[in-house]
Amino acid sequence: MIKESILQGNTALGIELGSTRIKAVLIDETKTPIAQGSYEWENRLENNIWTYSMEDIMTGLKECYSDLAKDVKQKYDVVLKKIGSIGISAMMHGYMAFDSKGELLVPFRTWRNTMTQQAAEKLTTLFQYNIPQRWSIAHLYQAILNEEPHISKIDFLTTLAGFIHFKLTGKKVLGVGDASGMFPIDSTTNTYYDNMVKQFDDLIAEKKFKWKLKDILPKVLVAGEQAGILTEEGAKLLDTSGNLQAGIPLCPPEGDAGTGMTATNSVAVRTGNVSAGTSVFAMVVLEKELSKVYPEIDLVTTPTGHLVGMVHCNNCTSDLNAWVNLFQEYGEMMGLKADKNDIFAALYNKALEGDADCGGLLSYCYLSGEPITELEEGRPLFTRMPDSKFHLSNFMRTHLYSSLATLKIGLDILFKQEGVTLDNLMGHGGLFKTKGVGQKIMAAAASVPVSVMETAGEGGAWGIALLADYMKQKQTGETLEQYLNTKVFVDSDAVTIAPDKKDSEGFDKFISLYQKGLAIEKAAVEAMK
């Protein structure tokens, strides 16, 4: 009985601070969500820096928990006092630097900022390891290059998840997946690469700071380890009503990539997942290191430390959605009223009737810049040859291909150049809502079977709740993969679509034209200032 589970504390709570929403999910012994809460928020551009204020963060955390507690009270007539375990997750990367008194030295710099190109390039060359602009070490080194005065005062550096966890437990720790977005992780030891730490310290030695890099980075933990307990202060911070009891164990705080892998059962070697919506990224769990450095591939880890090749693209369905809105507007002008979901379904399915190579049509979905294709800005663009096959089916198929084209460029490096083998790719996000269509296009792009769960989970908040439960409930020697396979996803229904050879060949032909046509996109950026 759910009520009894709550009263006995046989539950796990996951809280994830995403880009636009903070979400909390409470699960019981069946690993099923039994209550949830949320809080909407938005980042703000202040002094040309994308940030969330400290007030935003703390208010959002409290309001989200309060919303969850209300949900528990309304559904089960229980005041939430006991919880079996808690996990905190948030947007990866970014920069949060604190002094010895725990004061934030500069406003939180989120993953969205692209202000560290000089530092990222220098560190990539130094380490011979790809350092993306959004990683914490790139932000730290850029601040040093800029001679920002706060640098000498740093006592502690962490991510958003690590900060919340510290406020709740007093522990300066981080899950290995989130830590891998701060500084490169050695998957053989599940901690920061010693040689790279030394290289960085040598690089900045002339500055004579009072700290060394390892002094200010959080301690790295892996899934299953206990990462502290909820203190009295932490309990009061989370639950302003004062009902929540202290002493609850917390799992290592993780990033949204790690919780997404957990929520889609994609943490084992040779598995992967792709999240496709406003932006798109794929996570592929690797069997070994890549042969060389690729700026298109970020190397991070699963919550247990397995190496992951991550392809992250800023643009996905926004331009496609704009075209669907245009068709909706036309229909309404003609007196045709239709549900938005029905319009999406009709147009997406029409795309499946198109030519495998889109009949010579070409589009770019770039509303913003795209590092993989070396574009600092974007201009949504559609073009064709006079003799291209300009039909609605090809038009819609072109925009679906375009949504995944940049992702395919990165995945082709993994699969075709590095010979990475993948048994299955788990799809989630808005692109996959129309049954079978986005899935079929994704399978063509990756030339890998793509699965979509019939009943979607609750996303990253559910994923971090599972990691909290795994820490509390795991059997001796039980791996995270075993826990997920036998206790969470054993009865899950998933539909799998294998790649169609004709579709894959057509997408390859399209991508060849797409890469040649990038000159058109770059010219549009220059011409349309």
Side-chain angles (χ1 to χ4, degrees), residues 283-440:
M283 313 287 293
V284 177
V285 187
L286 305 174
E287 295 180 89
K288 62 181 189 303
E289 292 267 6
L290 302 181
S291 66
K292 63 178 184 177
V293 176
Y294 296 96
E296 301 90 346
I297 311 294
D298 301 350
L299 292 175
V300 292
T301 77
T302 68
T304 55
H306 287 313
L307 191 65
V308 174
M310 179 181 187
V311 182
H312 183 279
C313 311
N314 290 343
N315 301 277
C316 187
T317 60
S318 293
D319 188 45
L320 175 59
N321 294 345
W323 282 106
V324 173
N325 289 338
L326 193 72
F327 285 119
Q328 182 183 32
E329 186 180 345
Y330 169 75
E332 290 173 352
M333 183 185 74
M334 299 301 292
L336 304 171
K337 294 286 186 183
D339 180 78
K340 189 68 163 284
N341 291 329
D342 293 339
I343 297 171
F344 269 104
L347 290 170
Y348 272 42
N349 279 290
K350 187 68 178 176
L352 297 184
E353 300 174 17
D355 294 307
D357 65 354
C358 300
L361 309 185
L362 190 59
S363 77
Y364 295 89
C365 65
Y366 296 166
L367 266 74
S368 64
E370 196 60 78
I372 287 179
T373 47
E374 299 179 354
L375 281 150
E376 291 185 7
E377 296 179 48
R379 301 290 183 271
L381 185 152
F382 172 79
T383 188
R384 62 190 174 100
M385 293 288 286
D387 60 348
S388 297
K389 298 175 183 176
F390 189 33
H391 311 301
L392 180 60
S393 56
N394 279 342
F395 182 81
M396 290 307 303
R397 194 178 186 100
T398 298
H399 284 89
L400 281 165
Y401 274 22
S402 176
S403 297
L404 297 175
T406 312
L407 181 75
K408 177 176 170 57
I409 291 169
L411 289 177
D412 280 353
I413 292 172
L414 290 175
F415 299 147
K416 295 181 179 180
Q417 294 185 42
E418 286 290 324
V420 171
T421 303
L422 201 59
D423 296 327
N424 186 63
L425 195 60
M426 188 66 70
H428 54 110
L431 184 74
F432 301 103
K433 283 185 179 177
T434 299
K435 194 170 183 178
V437 180
Q439 197 175 351
K440 184 175 173 65

Side-chain angles (χ1 to χ4, degrees), residues 116-126 129-135 137-139 141-142 145:
T116 64
Q117 183 175 352
Q118 182 187 9
E121 289 176 353
K122 284 191 173 186
L123 292 176
T124 296
T125 301
L126 176 68
Y129 197 99
N130 186 34
I131 305 297
Q133 285 202 53
R134 60 186 181 276
W135 280 23
I137 192 63
H139 279 281
Y141 187 45
Q142 190 66 56
L145 292 175

Side-chain angles (χ1 to χ4, degrees), residues 138-153:
H139 279 281
L140 174 65
Y141 187 45
Q142 190 66 56
I144 293 171
L145 292 175
N146 294 346
E147 297 185 341
E148 294 187 35
H150 79 273
I151 291 295
S152 61
K153 302 173 186 173

Side-chain angles (χ1 to χ4, degrees), residues 1-14 24-28 32-38 63-83 239 241 243-244:
M1 185 178 173
I2 294 175
K3 185 173 181 177
E4 192 61 27
S5 295
I6 297 170
L7 288 169
Q8 294 299 321
N10 297 327
T11 53
L13 171 64
V25 169
L26 190 71
I27 63 173
D28 64 3
T32 304
I34 56 174
Q36 56 187 286
S38 65
E63 291 293 332
C64 180
Y65 180 84
S66 175
D67 196 43
L68 171 87
K70 286 176 188 173
D71 194 39
V72 170
K73 177 66 175 173
Q74 288 170 359
K75 285 180 177 175
Y76 311 108
D77 194 27
V78 174
V79 174
L80 190 57
K81 295 181 179 180
K82 294 173 67 176
I83 298 173
D239 182 11
S241 72
N243 291 316
L244 185 63

Side-chain angles (χ1 to χ4, degrees), residues 23-90:
K23 186 168 183 179
V25 169
L26 190 71
I27 63 173
D28 64 3
E29 299 99 325
T30 67
K31 325 306 177 192
T32 304
I34 56 174
Q36 56 187 286
S38 65
Y39 178 81
E40 304 292 327
W41 69 342
E42 283 289 347
N43 56 187
R44 56 182 80 185
L45 189 63
E46 294 182 349
N47 300 317
N48 217 30
I49 292 173
W50 289 106
T51 188
Y52 300 85
S53 71
M54 190 58 73
E55 184 181 359
D56 292 336
I57 295 167
M58 302 318 298
T59 299
L61 180 70
K62 293 171 184 176
E63 291 293 332
C64 180
Y65 180 84
S66 175
D67 196 43
L68 171 87
K70 286 176 188 173
D71 194 39
V72 170
K73 177 66 175 173
Q74 288 170 359
K75 285 180 177 175
Y76 311 108
D77 194 27
V78 174
V79 174
L80 190 57
K81 295 181 179 180
K82 294 173 67 176
I83 298 173
S85 55
I86 297 174
I88 301 296
S89 172

